[in-house]
Amino acid sequence: MMVVYENAMIAAAAETTQVADFVAKRQFAPMYIWLDIAFLLVFAGLLLWRRKTMTVLVGLAAGVLYFAVDYGIFNLALHTRSIEGGSMFWVLLWMSMSYGFTNFAWIWLWISKDSHLFEWSLLILGWWFCAPPIVQTLVARFAPDQADHPIIIQRTTGAYHGWMALILFVGYLALIIWNLAHERRSQRVNIPWLLAIGVLVQFGWELGLLIGGIRSAGLGLQETLKPLVVNSLLETNLGMPYVYVIFLAVTARYTETLSKRTHPITMLERLAENNAECVTH
């Protein structure tokens, strides 16, 4: 009886792991990489033109962090990555810098309530949705061999999504405790605003990949929808509490152009100041 019970427990654990795990897969022509790099240069150039120096540095730092996590942890440590038709190092370097830079530059513009947030958002979302059909047209016209030899890169998620969920829960728990401890509304963190940013930024990215035929190509409906839902709720969103604390600490002393504020303020004062700001267009 004990052996039967143990076998049943092992089978149940294996089934639970299988359900919790899913494959996040992308398939694209090599031309997609070069066009996306061109977009990144245009985006960074526009940010610098508008004197968004801090936003550019935040995006670059996030790209480096993405690469350290994706290549160092997901690939080398956990062995959850596999690739066909390309170099794991160079493809992950591009992917990390692309989405790390774009996502976190966009997040920084959101939480700083930039006056041109609509234009920045339209630029990013427009590229994510338009890039795949543009690439498909160019490949069919100028490089048909790339259609037959795409880059396919994928990862499984069961090895680390639990840790991601823990990071997300701890971060938002800290914000909840902070808000419960402060009666004045001006001193509370706008948690719904951070949640909206964390979910919608990842959702826009995932939806663009899905509609463009890049995300989950060749997989079934369940495996197609899981990355859209789970990643949107978890992956970028988990960093929002921590990013916001960094934002308050940095912008309490420095301006967007990296010059010191004439009158530096405390993080609590910066929180109240940020709460009083609004997105204008």
Side-chain angles (χ1 to χ4, degrees):
M1 290 295 293
M2 180 62 68
V3 173
V4 173
Y5 175 76
E6 289 179 352
N7 290 338
M9 292 296 292
I10 293 172
E15 182 179 355
T16 300
T17 301
Q18 186 176 7
V19 171
D21 198 9
F22 64 85
V23 176
K25 176 183 176 182
R26 298 184 208 176
Q27 179 174 315
F28 49 88
M31 186 182 292
Y32 185 88
I33 296 176
W34 298 108
L35 289 181
D36 189 68
I37 291 173
F39 167 77
L40 291 174
L41 294 174
V42 170
F43 181 35
L46 290 173
L47 288 170
L48 292 173
W49 175 50
R50 296 299 303 175
R51 304 183 68 189
K52 300 294 179 182
T53 310
M54 184 183 294
T55 301
V56 171
L57 291 180
V58 168
L60 291 174
V64 173
L65 178 61
Y66 265 45
F67 182 67
V69 171
D70 212 350
Y71 187 76
I73 298 178
F74 294 167
N75 180 52
L76 296 181
L78 300 178
H79 307 291
T80 61
R81 280 286 188 189
S82 62
I83 191 171
E84 298 176 28
S87 164
M88 181 71 78
F89 179 88
W90 292 110
V91 171
L92 282 185
L93 179 61
W94 158 70
M95 283 173 51
S96 300
M97 294 306 300
S98 174
Y99 293 107
F101 181 85
T102 308
N103 281 3
F104 278 86
W106 193 17
I107 287 171
W108 204 259
L109 293 166
W110 272 83
I111 58 180
S112 62
K113 301 178 182 178
D114 187 85
S115 60
H116 290 282
L117 182 59
F118 175 80
E119 287 83 1
W120 296 121
S121 301
L122 182 61
L123 173 67
I124 293 168
L125 289 173
W127 175 248
W128 285 345
F129 282 96
C130 293
I134 291 173
V135 171
Q136 290 169 10
T137 300
L138 294 178
V139 166
R141 178 67 176 84
F142 300 106
D145 59 305
Q146 291 192 12
D148 299 326
H149 301 88
I151 295 172
I152 302 174
I153 185 168
Q154 61 185 30
R155 60 184 166 89
T156 54
T157 61
Y160 55 84
H161 262 180
W163 294 110
M164 284 185 163
L166 178 62
I167 295 171
L168 180 142
F169 182 77
V170 169
Y172 278 104
L173 175 62
L175 297 186
I176 291 169
I177 294 173
W178 172 271
N179 282 2
L180 291 175
H182 290 79
E183 295 296 331
R184 294 174 59 183
R185 187 170 296 275
S186 64
Q187 295 181 345
R188 298 181 200 167
V189 176
N190 190 345
I191 297 178
W193 178 250
L194 296 185
L195 277 170
I197 298 170
V199 172
L200 291 177
V201 166
Q202 183 81 24
F203 181 80
W205 169 17
E206 294 287 346
L207 187 62
L209 292 175
L210 182 60
I211 293 176
I214 293 176
R215 170 67 85 197
S216 305
L219 298 179
L221 179 62
Q222 184 180 23
E223 291 297 329
T224 298
L225 293 179
K226 270 188 176 181
L228 178 67
V229 176
V230 177
N231 290 355
S232 297
L233 293 173
L234 180 61
E235 293 205 351
T236 297
N237 192 31
L238 70 86
M240 288 306 301
Y242 311 99
V243 171
Y244 191 61
V245 171
I246 294 172
F247 168 80
L248 294 177
V250 173
T251 59
R253 300 186 61 85
Y254 295 94
T255 68
E256 182 63 39
T257 59
L258 299 184
S259 59
K260 287 189 176 181
R261 292 180 62 142
T262 306
H263 302 288
I265 57 179
T266 65
M267 289 178 61
L268 186 59
E269 291 171 332
R270 181 66 184 109
L271 172 59
E273 184 181 72
N274 185 241
N275 283 334
E277 296 168 346
C278 61
V279 177
T280 58
H281 182 71

